């Protein structure tokens, strides 16, 4: 045992740098794996805990009085056992707001605002949690409560004053508190609930045209039984629910999507880094056995068993792994906390900080890494069993290996192809690559992985930042300007159309609205989907041409006629429908039999939506005029800002316009902020790992060839030329790896990542490929490999030819 202990300490002392680098590699592998597991676990746990704490709703109903009597619906749900319903909360819809005293924000002005007539707290469903300001039963007069999702994103605090407009008049209210509002508090907000004092609500909206709408939250004791409740609702009411409904899946999706994406990337790359670490350990042990073959033979001849020789390697790397895993686990808690808090910041309050769970699982990850290291060491160190003392002492290798080498040298002498006419630097570099094939494979693998990681990060960030180019593939239109009507009584569509179409800068215009569509579960009784809950989803209506405004489909085409409909991929999946099938849909209480002409994807509502032409709704409502948004295309999109300013000045009392780019920027602002940090961390980690491993591997190769390099120096070859030749060989390998990495990062990894987004309504991840940036990031991998190789060869410059030859 003392011999094992002594040899282990000798190996640790002799290869301090190399052992330290392997320790760092194990640390980083542990960090990525533990962080990814912690992020995925806590994303779900934190959301679930807050949802339970606030008695969050599983479904949110929005009711008018045209299709259902809100009071009857509320009464029916109050009578159901196993369901808790909120109060029926009146609200009015406004468009955008301003933060007084600060620069105007086009992102804030594009938000859809639900101005709530706040009932007295506490609430049975969707209780509000206070993050800033004094907790009260209801807002005081002249004040509002603002959700954290908007306050944190746009730097609004308690005490700020916000401005609103009804189209007829402007008014201001002071933020008295910032609250967590679960149903409308997710990241990437496009709509938000503003909680008003009842007196303010009456004063501002009594004179406003239109009627109150109502919201009501439903919380089920067993959410899986909601289907049976809705079937009973349809029987009792004599018709399916036709108004708008948000499901738990829709409310929770944007809380979870970013961290699930980040967690997946990290767990994938963590496993890749772990494999690289194991390959490096295996390469190091194999090389050590070959390099010290004669020494091992002598030790075995003196009586040390093969089992104890294996124990030397096992003890050495187990000690390194244990020392590396502990700080990796500690660091993962900090990194995980940072990522989770940045993506779920809307759930964070000043009083209750986000505390991460899953320490035991993180420890299990550490144990898993340790077991992998031990198994790897056992596998590769088992080669020491095959060392025969007599052969080792005589040949310095096995007899079979010596015979193979002799035949190889003889073959080289008779080989017609040689490096005789190649430049000396190229010969030395290529010889180093070909002689150390395992090391060369490891270097190429590293640069492949590093370039793939860097390219993937760049492609994702560039694609999200350049969403304007791929907006139709995310489910948006590609028009240049969006106009929203704020006051229908003061707005004339006929006059607007006449004025806007006479402008030579305008290419075309389309008017958009939406209704809530319903597919009754009765229609599915004879299919395998007979237990599907009646589907309520938004149906977009367009007076114009979908194709002209840039809307696209994955299969088929957009609807044009009164008997056609295009549906989102999740609607198609749930209904088991495809292009050419018939769908029975209720629109505004009327039944329509529509042919599916296309299937499309949309991130905005998880592809739970559909598209129809205005002719469909006009079959029963010839005077339909529910359009609230106009999408305008320009002949030259550089005129967008000028046209927007002119429209806002001319129609300031009835409508507001905003450039489409501004709307998209507001939507993706938080996505970019959430992605850039973890992708940067992973890019830096893999860059550091690449430099570390290539440095370590090159040092091993140089140590094995020290006598050869001593001879080179003694006959007049300078250290710089030797180092350049070695670096050149590494650059050739890294170039091959970088090319493969580009293909993996651009084509393979996005497809794997896209599988996660399929549940969120995106079947094909829209990418914007900037090849200049892609090649630049791939070059970073090549440069890192070159730096690692150059740094490792510094020992050649420092050592004299005599010492190298002696070694």
């Amino acid at each position: 045992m003392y011999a094992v202990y002594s040899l282990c300490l000798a190996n640790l002392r002799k290869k301090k740098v190399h052992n330290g680098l392997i320790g760092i590699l194990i640390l980083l592998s542990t960090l990525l794996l533990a962080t990814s597991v912690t992020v995925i676990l806590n994303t779900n746990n934190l959301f679930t805990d807050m949802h339970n704490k606030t008695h969050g709703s599983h479904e949110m109903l929005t009711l008018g009085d045209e299709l259902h009597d809100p009071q009857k619906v509320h009464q029916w749900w109050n009578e159901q056992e196993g369901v808790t319903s909120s109060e029926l909360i009146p609200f009015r819809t406004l468009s955008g707001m301003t933060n007084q005293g600060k620069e105007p924000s086009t992102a804030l002005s594009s938000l859809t605002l639900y101005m709530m007539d706040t009932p007295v707290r506490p609430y049975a469903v969707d209780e509000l949690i206070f993050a800033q300001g004094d907790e009260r039963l209801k807002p005081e007069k002249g004040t509002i409560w603002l959700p954290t999702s908007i306050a944190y994103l746009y730097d609004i605090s308690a005490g700020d004053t916000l401005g609103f407009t009804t189209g007829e008049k402007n008014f201001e209210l002071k933020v008295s508190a910032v609250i967590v509002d679960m149903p409308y508090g997710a990241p990437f907000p496009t709509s938000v609930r503003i909680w008003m004092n009842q007196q303010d609500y009456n004063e501002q909206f009594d004179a406003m045209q239109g009627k109150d709408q109502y919201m009501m939250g439903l919380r089920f004791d067993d959410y899986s039984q909601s289907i049976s409740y809705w079937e009973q609702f349809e029987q009792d009411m004599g018709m399916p629910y036709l108004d708008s409904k948000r499901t738990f899946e829709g409310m929770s999706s944007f809380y979870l999507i970013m961290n699930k994406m980040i967690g997946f990337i990290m767990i994938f790359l963590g496993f890749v880094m772990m494999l690289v670490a194991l390959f490096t350990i295996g390469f190091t042990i194999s090389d050590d056995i070959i390099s010290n073959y004669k020494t091992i033979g002598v030790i075995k001849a003196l009586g040390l068993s093969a089992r104890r020789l294996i124990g030397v390697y096992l003890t050495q790397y187990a000690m390194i792994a244990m020392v590396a895993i502990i700080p990796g686990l500690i660091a993962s808690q900090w990194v995980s906390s940072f990522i989770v808090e940045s993506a779920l910041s809307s759930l964070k309050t000043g009083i209750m900080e986000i505390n991460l769970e899953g320490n035991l699982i993180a420890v299990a990850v550490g144990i898993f890494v340790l077991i992998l290291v031990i198994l790897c060491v056992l596998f590769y160190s088992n080669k020491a069993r095959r060392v025969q003392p007599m052969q080792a002492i005589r040949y310095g290798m096995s007899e079979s290996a010596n015979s193979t080498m002799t035949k190889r040298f003889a073959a080289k002498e008779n080989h017609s192809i040689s490096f005789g006419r190649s430049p000396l630097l190229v010969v030395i570099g290529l010889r180093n690559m070909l002689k150390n094939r395992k090391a060369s494979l490891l270097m190429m693998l590293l640069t492949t992985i590093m370039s793939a990681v860097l390219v993937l990060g760049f492609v994702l960030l560039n694609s999200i930042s350049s969403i304007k180019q791929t907006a139709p593939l995310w489910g948006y239109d590609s028009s240049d300007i969006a106009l929203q009507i704020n006051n229908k009584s003061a707005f004339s569509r006929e006059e607007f159309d006449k004025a806007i179409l006479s402008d030579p800068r305008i290419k075309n215009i389309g008017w958009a609205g939406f209704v809530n569509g319903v597919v009754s579960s009765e229609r599915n009784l004879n299919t395998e989907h007979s237990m599907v809950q009646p589907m309520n989803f938004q149906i977009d209506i367009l007076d114009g041409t979908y194709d002209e405004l840039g809307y696209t489909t994955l299969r088929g085409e957009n609807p044009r006629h009164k008997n056609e409909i295009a549906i989102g991929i999740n609607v198609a999946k749930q209904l088991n429908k495809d292009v050419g099938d018939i769908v029975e849909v209720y629109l505004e209480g009327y039944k329509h039999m529509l042919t599916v002409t296309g299937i499309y994807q949309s991130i905005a509502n998880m592809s739970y939506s559909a598209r129809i032409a205005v002719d469909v709704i006009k079959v029963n409502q010839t005077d339909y005029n529910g359009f609230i948004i106009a999408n305008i295309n320009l002949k030259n999109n550089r005129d967008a800002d000028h046209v927007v300013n002119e429209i806002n000045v001319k129609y300031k009392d009835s409508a507001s316009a905003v450039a489409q780019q501004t709307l998209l920027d507001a939507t993706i602002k938080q996505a970019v902020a959430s992605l850039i940090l973890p992708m940067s961390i992973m890019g830096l980690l893999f860059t550091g790992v690449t430099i570390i491993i290539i440095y370590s591997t090159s040092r091993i190769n140089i140590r094995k060839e020290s006598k050869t390099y001593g001879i080179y120096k003694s006959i007049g070859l300078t250290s710089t030329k030797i180092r350049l030749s070695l670096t050149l060989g590494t650059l050739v390998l890294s170039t091959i790896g970088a090319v493969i990495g580009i293909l993996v990062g651009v084509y393979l990894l996005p497809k794997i990542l896209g599988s996660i987004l399929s549940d969120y309504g995106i079947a094909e991840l829209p990418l914007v490929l900037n090849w200049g940036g892609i090649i630049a990031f791939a070059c970073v991998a090549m440069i890192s490999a070159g730096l690692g190789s150059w740094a490792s060869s510094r020992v050649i410059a420092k050592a004299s030819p005599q010492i190298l030859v002696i070694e």
Side-chain angles (χ1 to χ4, degrees):
M1 190 66 191
Y2 178 75
V4 172
Y5 175 74
S6 300
L7 288 172
C8 177
L9 289 182
N11 281 343
L12 290 173
R13 284 196 298 265
K14 184 179 178 182
K15 301 178 180 178
K16 292 179 182 177
V17 175
H18 183 72
N19 290 329
L21 297 180
I22 289 180
I24 292 174
L25 192 57
I26 295 173
L27 184 152
L28 295 178
S29 302
T30 307
L31 172 63
L32 277 180
L33 288 173
T35 299
S36 61
V37 172
T38 305
V39 166
I40 292 173
L41 175 67
N42 282 277
T43 297
N44 289 299
N45 286 351
L46 288 171
F47 172 78
T48 302
D49 290 347
M50 184 62 81
H51 190 263
N52 292 333
K53 182 175 181 178
T54 60
H55 305 286
S57 57
H58 292 115
E59 293 176 343
M60 178 65 67
L61 310 186
T62 301
L63 299 150
D65 59 1
E66 294 86 1
L67 303 175
H68 298 283
D69 183 340
Q71 300 299 332
K72 287 184 178 180
V73 173
H74 184 254
Q75 181 181 353
W76 188 90
W77 281 106
N78 273 340
E79 293 171 354
Q80 306 307 307
E81 294 184 3
V83 183
T84 305
S85 64
S86 71
E87 294 187 41
L88 204 59
I89 310 176
F91 74 93
R92 292 293 188 100
T93 304
L94 297 181
S95 176
M97 58 185 173
T98 58
N99 191 353
Q100 305 300 318
K102 295 186 179 181
E103 290 293 325
S105 169
T106 50
L108 278 175
S109 65
S110 65
L111 290 171
T112 299
L113 309 179
Y114 301 122
M115 312 300 291
M116 312 300 294
D117 182 2
T118 310
V120 178
R121 295 178 54 246
Y123 305 147
V125 177
D126 292 324
E127 177 62 294
L128 304 177
I129 304 294
F130 284 72
Q132 294 180 18
D134 296 331
E135 183 171 349
R136 297 181 181 274
L137 297 181
K138 61 180 181 179
E140 294 182 316
K141 186 175 181 347
T143 68
I144 54 172
W145 294 341
L146 188 70
T148 52
S149 57
I150 295 298
Y152 294 162
L153 185 59
Y154 297 106
D155 194 25
I156 302 173
S157 306
D160 289 353
T161 300
L162 303 180
F164 306 89
T165 179
T166 63
E168 298 174 348
K169 63 178 179 178
N170 299 328
F171 61 96
E172 295 180 356
L173 295 170
K174 186 177 180 181
V175 179
S176 62
V178 174
I179 47 93
V180 175
D181 184 7
M182 289 297 292
Y184 285 88
F188 325 119
T190 56
S191 57
V192 58
R193 295 201 290 191
I194 307 293
W195 299 84
M196 299 178 64
N197 175 272
Q198 187 176 49
Q199 188 175 343
D200 290 329
Y201 181 88
N202 293 333
E203 289 177 358
Q204 302 302 335
F205 300 119
D206 275 352
M208 185 178 175
Q209 192 177 35
K211 299 179 180 179
D212 286 345
Q213 290 181 286
Y214 299 88
M215 283 192 189
M216 182 177 71
L218 302 177
R219 182 174 176 83
F220 298 88
D221 292 349
D222 183 359
Y223 181 45
S224 64
Q225 298 300 313
S226 64
I227 295 175
S228 60
Y229 283 101
W230 282 111
E231 289 176 345
Q232 186 63 44
F233 178 93
E234 186 172 342
Q235 292 177 16
D236 293 349
M237 294 294 183
M239 62 188 300
Y241 177 75
L242 299 173
D243 266 312
S244 178
K245 177 176 68 173
R246 296 182 70 205
T247 64
F248 176 75
E249 291 77 15
M251 288 187 283
S252 64
S253 61
F254 284 112
Y255 281 105
L256 309 177
I257 184 171
M258 286 308 301
N259 277 357
K260 283 192 174 181
M261 183 187 298
I262 293 168
F264 170 80
I265 295 173
M266 295 186 77
I267 203 166
F268 174 79
L269 297 180
F271 271 111
V272 170
M273 186 175 284
M274 192 68 241
L275 291 175
V276 171
L278 297 177
F279 188 88
T280 304
I281 292 171
F283 165 76
T284 304
I285 293 173
S286 298
D287 180 80
D288 188 70
I289 291 173
I290 293 172
S291 300
N292 298 291
Y293 207 90
K294 183 175 292 187
T295 303
I296 294 173
V298 172
I299 292 174
K300 291 187 73 173
L302 293 175
L304 193 67
S305 66
R307 182 180 297 178
R308 291 193 174 184
L309 276 173
I310 293 172
V312 173
Y313 292 109
L314 189 61
T315 305
Q316 174 187 343
Y317 287 101
M319 290 174 63
I320 294 172
M322 286 188 287
V323 170
I325 287 171
I326 294 173
L329 293 177
I330 294 172
S332 74
Q333 293 299 301
W334 180 82
V335 176
S336 302
S337 177
F338 197 88
I339 293 174
V340 171
E341 288 189 19
S342 64
L344 291 180
S345 59
S346 59
L347 297 182
K348 186 178 178 181
T349 66
I351 301 173
M352 183 188 64
E353 297 295 326
I354 293 178
N355 295 315
L356 297 184
E357 299 178 1
N359 290 332
L360 290 178
I361 293 181
V363 171
V365 169
I367 294 172
F368 172 71
V369 171
L370 179 60
I371 291 172
L372 284 180
V373 171
I374 291 173
L375 291 176
C376 177
V377 172
L378 286 173
F379 178 80
Y380 282 99
S381 62
N382 195 52
K383 294 180 181 180
R385 290 181 182 274
R386 297 196 290 269
V387 176
Q388 298 298 322
M390 293 305 296
Q391 294 179 12
I393 295 170
R394 182 175 181 181
Y395 302 114
M397 62 187 72
S398 66
E399 188 172 359
S400 60
N402 181 71
S403 176
T404 302
M405 182 177 290
T406 303
K407 291 178 181 179
R408 190 185 300 167
F409 285 146
K412 285 182 178 179
E413 290 176 1
N414 298 322
H415 206 285
S416 58
I417 300 175
S418 69
F419 293 117
R421 295 183 179 180
S422 302
L424 182 59
L425 296 183
V426 174
V427 172
I428 295 174
L430 292 179
R431 178 185 177 278
N432 182 59
M433 287 168 45
L434 297 174
K435 190 172 183 180
N436 302 286
R437 294 179 183 178
K438 288 186 179 179
S440 299
L441 178 62
L442 177 59
M443 291 180 186
M444 191 170 70
L445 177 64
L446 278 170
T447 49
T448 298
I449 295 171
M450 178 185 169
S451 60
V453 170
L454 294 178
V455 166
L456 174 65
F458 172 75
V459 168
L460 285 179
L461 290 173
N462 183 63
S463 298
I464 295 175
S465 300
S466 306
I467 195 173
K468 174 65 175 174
Q469 300 178 37
T470 56
L473 295 175
W474 291 98
Y476 303 107
D477 64 279
S478 61
S479 60
D480 298 308
I481 298 173
L483 173 90
Q484 179 159 331
I485 301 173
N486 300 325
N487 184 359
K488 279 193 171 183
S489 62
F491 184 86
S492 170
R493 176 183 166 180
E494 291 76 15
E495 291 181 7
F496 180 83
D497 283 348
K498 184 177 179 181
I500 205 74
L501 292 175
S502 63
D503 191 326
R505 297 170 296 181
I506 305 301
K507 184 177 181 181
N508 54 54
I509 183 173
W511 284 92
F514 67 89
V515 294
N516 191 61
V518 178
V519 177
S520 172
S521 59
E522 283 187 338
R523 298 300 94 197
N524 300 317
L525 289 177
N526 296 323
T527 73
E528 59 180 339
H529 295 273
S530 59
M531 291 307 292
V532 172
Q533 180 176 344
M535 288 192 68
N536 294 62
F537 50 85
Q538 176 179 305
I539 297 186
D540 298 320
I541 304 171
L542 186 69
D543 188 358
T545 305
Y546 281 102
D547 294 332
E548 286 183 352
L549 296 178
Y551 288 99
T552 189
T553 57
L554 295 177
R555 301 193 300 277
E557 57 186 24
N558 284 306
R560 299 178 181 177
H561 307 295
K562 63 182 180 181
N563 63 335
E564 296 179 345
I565 187 173
I567 56 179
I569 57 172
N570 278 337
V571 173
K573 188 186 301 181
Q574 190 161 332
L575 296 178
N576 194 27
K577 299 292 183 181
D578 207 338
V579 175
D581 291 341
I582 304 298
V583 179
E584 184 176 292
V585 185
Y586 287 89
L587 301 173
E588 301 281 280
Y590 298 97
K591 184 173 72 174
H592 297 263
M593 303 295 292
L594 304 176
T595 302
V596 178
T597 62
I599 309 291
Y600 65 90
Q601 61 182 18
S602 174
I603 191 70
N605 41 35
M606 297 175 63
S607 291
Y608 285 106
S609 61
R611 300 170 183 165
I612 59 173
V614 69
D615 292 341
V616 177
I617 207 78
K618 283 188 175 182
V619 169
N620 303 107
Q621 302 178 57
T622 55
D623 58 346
Y624 177 80
N625 190 28
F627 302 108
I628 56 174
I629 295 175
N631 299 117
I632 303 170
N633 276 325
L634 304 177
K635 294 177 180 177
N636 188 341
N637 57 19
R638 288 178 293 184
D639 295 328
D641 291 337
H642 296 293
V643 175
V644 165
N645 291 334
E646 292 174 11
I647 292 175
N648 284 333
V649 170
K650 186 174 181 180
Y651 299 93
K652 61 181 181 180
D653 295 329
S654 58
S656 60
V658 63
Q660 187 74 349
Q661 183 66 56
T662 302
L663 292 174
L664 294 174
D665 288 344
T667 303
I668 67 170
K669 177 181 178 181
Q670 199 167 357
V672 173
S674 299
L675 266 180
I676 195 166
L677 177 67
M679 293 308 298
S680 298
I681 290 174
M682 284 183 278
L684 290 172
L685 286 181
F686 270 88
T687 301
V689 165
T690 300
I691 295 174
I692 286 170
I693 298 180
I694 289 180
Y695 174 88
S696 178
T697 306
S698 298
R699 280 289 291 268
I700 292 174
N701 292 340
I702 290 170
R703 188 170 60 249
K704 288 195 302 184
E705 299 291 323
S706 59
K707 185 178 292 187
T708 302
Y709 300 136
I711 294 171
Y712 289 163
K713 291 186 72 173
S714 65
I715 61 175
L717 198 63
T718 64
S719 300
T720 302
K721 287 186 177 181
I722 299 173
R723 296 177 70 189
L724 281 174
S725 65
L726 298 179
T727 303
L728 179 64
T730 302
L731 286 174
V732 171
L733 288 172
S734 63
T735 301
I736 297 172
V739 172
I740 299 173
I742 289 175
L743 298 177
V744 172
V746 171
Y747 298 109
L748 179 60
L749 292 182
K751 283 189 176 181
I752 297 174
L753 182 59
S755 63
I756 295 180
L757 295 178
S758 61
D759 291 336
Y760 296 92
I762 295 296
E764 298 177 6
L765 188 63
L767 300 178
V768 177
L769 302 179
N770 182 335
W771 285 103
I774 290 171
I775 292 173
F777 274 94
C779 287
V780 172
M782 296 165 54
I783 294 170
S784 299
L787 289 175
S789 178
W790 179 262
S792 67
S793 64
R794 186 174 55 179
V795 66
I796 296 175
K798 289 184 175 181
S800 68
Q802 183 180 1
I803 294 175
L804 288 173
V805 171
I806 291 172
E807 288 181 354

